[in-house]
Amino acid sequence: MTQSRAGTEPPRTRVSFLSQRSAGASGRVLRPSAKLLPEDARGHNRALVLQTLFTVGQQSRADVARGTGLTRVTVSDLVTELMAEGLLVETGQREGARPGKPAILLDIDRSSFQIIGIDLSDSAVFRGAVLDLGGSIQRRVQLPVTGSIGQAAIDQVAILIESLLALVTAPLLGIGVGSPGIVDRAGVVISAPNLEWTGVPLQAALSEQFGVPVVVANDANAAVLAEHSFGDASGEGDLMLVRVGRGVGAGLLLGGALLYGSRFAAGEIGHVVVGTDGGELCSCGTHGCLETWLAAPRLEAKLADAALDTTPGAAGDTILREAGRRLGIALATIVGALDLSEVVLSGPERLLDGSLVEATRETIRRRTMERLHGGLTLRLSTLGDDIVLRGAAVMVISSRLGVS
Ligand SMILES: [Zn+2]
């Protein structure tokens, strides 16, 4: 049996696809990422218990049983196990005048474990933080990296992790890294031109060096996970997050699962040409890529030329509107194809808020069918510069505990 399968697609791939797509839970559940096989019922049930407590907050064992559909005996058993591991704590008795024995409330002990989050997406600094299980940042370290490329940049990541490890005060659940570029599911950075990384097995290398679980993913993918877990996302699990920085990229969450694409490049919209009227020369050699209209350094330079006058009708305002319009052209087809309900922009508010986002909204509205896509929400993220750090924590929580 095993022999005859040699050289063919292993069956696990298909099973994990089903487990992601057909899981019956609803709400803000992040589908476990290929780790849970159907026979791993206990692991799945553990994740359900943790998920309901992460999402709803403190509850009694009976509430958890109702919320998960598990029996009280199963819940009680799992709670005992999770308390022994330190993940859950009893927080006291429920206040109230109901007759009978008052219920004891349980909650996630958010201080029981810590996570190291790393953000490599900024060209000037590598950011790092120690976070708790609730995604709150407890300590920060940043390392100036201007000019660090290749092995030197990898060494800088290790130095940053070393200094964060010294600040960790609880058992470490793992290390999450948001990297620019194309990153596969095994955490290999296939290509990150700015860091001159090609085929760098960052996840495996860091995991071996530090002896703890490490998850490496694309920075926009980390960001969309943060928005889903900690932002104002509607919770439907269909969400696109567009990051505007030195480049333009996006992360897509569909049905609560990250979309990777056939070459792990889903969401790489920065080098899609928007319009048929040419445009400026892009770093990739093409004219009129979305980045040439929207990337922060390009916009800043154009606004500087226009003497920063961004009042309505002024030259600066026209530049911002045009950038927003080009983003709207790029997004309209995606919204139409995927029937998205929510698109979130993350980047410098000074550029994105106001005329730019209004023009994007207006362009999408004019280019999609009102009856189908009129309900689209387009807004700015409120997570600011910490979005990738917090997303890196979600990646670790998701991979270790099966929850978002
Ligand atoms: Zn380009």
Side-chain angles (χ1 to χ4, degrees):
M1 188 70 177
T2 312
Q3 290 268 321
S4 69
R5 285 190 188 279
T8 63
E9 187 73 2
R12 197 167 65 83
T13 306
R14 206 164 39 123
V15 173
S16 65
F17 175 79
L18 288 174
S19 71
Q20 285 179 53
R21 281 294 169 189
S22 61
S26 60
R28 292 167 66 105
V29 177
L30 191 73
R31 304 284 188 261
S33 53
K35 291 282 164 58
L36 292 178
L37 299 175
E39 63 267 27
D40 190 6
R42 190 174 179 85
H44 180 68
N45 292 343
R46 265 176 67 103
L48 282 178
V49 169
L50 290 169
Q51 181 72 56
T52 190
L53 288 162
F54 263 110
T55 308
V56 181
Q58 58 178 1
Q59 296 175 85
S60 70
R61 286 169 176 79
D63 296 333
V64 173
R66 270 191 298 275
T68 57
L70 300 172
T71 66
R72 284 195 187 209
V73 173
T74 301
V75 168
S76 191
D77 188 28
L78 288 167
V79 164
T80 303
E81 177 182 300
L82 291 164
M83 283 178 62
E85 291 171 31
L87 279 164
L88 296 188
V89 278
E90 290 182 340
T91 53
Q93 293 183 345
R94 173 174 282 145
E95 302 287 325
R98 268 197 253 169
K101 205 169 123 193
I104 296 167
L105 295 172
L106 299 160
D107 202 355
I108 304 283
D109 185 353
R110 288 169 173 77
S111 62
S112 59
F113 287 85
Q114 287 177 321
I115 300 156
I116 288 179
I118 305 285
D119 174 6
L120 309 180
S121 66
D122 192 303
S123 56
V125 289
F126 283 172
R127 291 198 178 88
V130 177
L131 302 98
D132 69 12
L133 286 184
S136 296
I137 292 179
Q138 298 177 316
R139 302 295 295 271
R140 293 173 189 273
V141 176
Q142 59 180 38
L143 212 58
V145 289
T146 314
S148 284
I149 50 166
Q151 183 60 45
I154 298 171
D155 294 344
Q156 294 284 60
V157 176
I159 290 167
L160 181 59
I161 291 173
E162 288 280 6
S163 55
L164 286 159
L165 281 169
L167 303 174
V168 166
T169 54
L172 189 67
L173 193 65
I175 300 171
V177 181
S179 168
I182 312 292
V183 184
D184 75 10
R185 284 173 181 267
V188 176
V189 182
I190 296 172
S191 159
N194 295 328
L195 296 169
E196 294 193 13
W197 286 352
T198 307
V200 172
L202 193 60
Q203 180 172 308
L206 294 176
S207 176
E208 190 183 14
Q209 181 172 353
F210 294 103
V212 293
V214 177
V215 187
V216 178
N218 168 269
D219 61 320
N221 283 355
V224 76
L225 292 175
E227 189 64 37
H228 177 66
S229 295
F230 305 123
D232 303 326
S234 68
E236 288 174 28
D238 291 312
L239 174 67
M240 179 172 186
L241 183 129
V242 180
R243 263 171 73 72
V244 178
R246 187 167 45 164
V248 178
L252 278 151
L253 207 58
L254 297 178
L258 265 183
L259 184 72
Y260 287 87
S262 58
R263 291 175 185 78
F264 311 104
E268 292 292 324
I269 57 173
H271 297 284
V272 171
V273 175
V274 277
T276 54
D277 54 350
E280 290 179 11
L281 180 64
C282 183
S283 59
C284 73
T286 306
H287 286 266
C289 293
L290 180 59
E291 280 193 12
T292 66
W293 299 101
L294 189 61
R298 297 238 186 194
L299 278 179
E300 295 284 8
K302 287 179 196 171
L303 289 176
D305 285 347
L308 291 170
D309 186 357
T310 54
T311 53
D317 183 63
T318 306
I319 288 163
L320 291 175
R321 283 193 182 282
E322 188 58 22
R325 196 173 77 82
R326 300 287 169 159
L327 176 60
I329 293 171
L331 292 179
T333 310
I334 301 168
V335 168
L338 301 179
D339 188 19
L340 293 172
S341 59
E342 197 166 16
V343 178
V344 181
L345 309 186
S346 160
E349 258 182 57
R350 195 177 82 76
L351 299 173
L352 300 180
D353 205 4
S355 295
L356 194 154
V357 71
E358 278 168 26
T360 304
R361 200 176 281 129
E362 169 65 16
T363 306
I364 295 174
R365 194 186 61 72
R366 277 193 289 105
R367 287 175 172 249
T368 56
M369 195 179 253
E370 172 70 25
R371 184 170 60 80
L372 297 178
H373 309 299
L376 175 80
T377 301
L378 176 72
R379 62 176 175 80
L380 266 55
S381 173
T382 54
L383 299 180
D385 288 343
D386 291 335
I387 193 165
V388 174
L389 289 175
R390 299 184 73 188
V394 175
M395 282 151 39
V396 172
I397 294 170
S398 171
S399 84
R400 296 296 315 280
L401 305 178
V403 300
S404 58

